[in-house]
Amino acid sequence: MKVDMAMMDAVAAWHMAGDSILIEQMPIFGGYVGTVEEAAICDVATTIASFALFNADVHLGGPIHVRWGTTTNRESLQIAAHTARALDTNTDLLLGNQYYVMSGPCTQMNLLETAAQAIVDTASGRELLSGVASAKGVQKDKVTAMESRMMGEASMAACGMDISDANEIVNNILKRYEPLYSNPPAGKTFQQCYDIENIAPTQEYLRIYDRALNTLSNCGIDF
């Protein structure tokens, strides 16, 4: 909840320039804010601060797990869902969320992680989905458009979904990738799973994507 004067000066300058301002913060579950409940309270407070103190146009959240470094784990999804639901129910603020998935591109785990968070964000009322940072967003060339495609397709499939139905589906998806946390698939680089000349996914990645869609359909999503 602290910000330095340099940031205050920057925000003032952006306002004077007529910029649209998106403010990001990512509360760390298991860090200073501790529990799921404490992290959700912190997330709500910092979201409100973005608009009340800095006159932001959009707030971009992204609860992160202190051990796993992802937004797609069960606890981070809980925090994101409760935060967005509370704010969407009581305000007209524009809310976004970051996507940091554990596994690399061209793996089914990556696509399942992405879909789980997209369902959570959509069902709980977020307007902006920002992703996907695969392999925790820390490995070179480990991001492709296929992950973002899954984020979009899962979000559209979740539009209008009842909260209890979304919760059941996400639980079904989590059961499929949580056991892989200790040894997540590394996946492939952009150059390995895309045709570089045509900027198109390889047939291998398309097959993996189709398998992920079938798995998600078995979890209850109607694509």
Side-chain angles (χ1 to χ4, degrees):
M1 294 293 289
K2 294 183 179 180
V3 64
D4 58 24
M5 290 306 297
M7 177 57 69
M8 297 290 282
D9 291 342
V11 171
W14 296 332
H15 278 298
M16 292 175 66
D19 295 332
S20 295
I21 297 178
L22 179 150
I23 292 182
E24 173 194 346
Q25 61 81 30
M26 302 177 73
I28 301 177
F29 164 74
Y32 288 124
V33 291
T35 66
V36 167
E37 293 83 0
E38 290 169 336
I41 291 169
C42 175
D43 207 356
V44 170
T46 50
T47 301
I48 294 172
S50 293
F51 296 96
L53 301 181
F54 307 118
N55 198 25
D57 297 291
V58 184
H59 179 85
L60 185 64
I64 203 90
H65 197 291
V66 71
R67 177 181 181 187
W68 303 121
T70 67
T71 60
T72 55
N73 59 86
R74 185 179 294 269
E75 291 83 4
S76 290
L77 293 177
Q78 286 179 308
I79 295 162
H82 286 291
T83 297
R85 191 64 177 165
L87 289 162
D88 188 62
T89 301
N90 295 285
T91 75
D92 60 356
L93 303 176
L94 294 178
L95 309 173
N97 206 9
Q98 293 271 46
Y99 282 60
Y100 285 86
V101 307
M102 185 176 292
S103 47
C106 206
T107 67
Q108 179 165 261
M109 179 179 176
N110 180 296
L111 299 171
L112 296 183
E113 288 184 81
T114 300
Q117 184 172 335
I119 295 167
V120 167
D121 288 337
T122 303
S124 55
R126 293 187 189 269
E127 287 80 19
L128 180 91
L129 311 185
S130 176
V132 175
S134 300
K136 302 183 184 181
V138 297
Q139 295 188 29
K140 185 178 179 180
D141 295 330
K142 284 290 184 79
V143 174
T144 87
M146 285 292 277
E147 297 92 77
S148 296
R149 176 179 173 179
M150 176 58 79
M151 181 180 70
E153 287 210 67
S155 175
M156 288 187 287
C159 286
M161 188 180 291
D162 183 80
I163 291 292
S164 59
D165 292 337
N167 193 55
E168 182 178 353
I169 291 169
V170 171
N171 269 320
N172 289 337
I173 301 172
L174 278 164
K175 292 174 184 176
R176 285 166 166 79
Y177 67 77
E178 281 179 321
L180 302 174
Y181 278 6
S182 60
N183 188 30
K188 297 187 174 183
T189 64
F190 175 80
Q191 295 86 343
Q192 292 171 328
C193 60
Y194 257 66
D195 177 341
I196 301 301
E197 290 188 6
N198 298 309
I199 313 299
T202 60
Q203 289 301 311
E204 178 192 18
Y205 203 170
L206 291 172
R207 287 193 295 271
I208 290 171
Y209 191 92
D210 285 341
R211 285 203 299 271
L213 289 178
N214 288 333
T215 299
L216 291 166
S217 294
N218 291 333
C219 291
I221 307 176
D222 182 17
F223 285 102

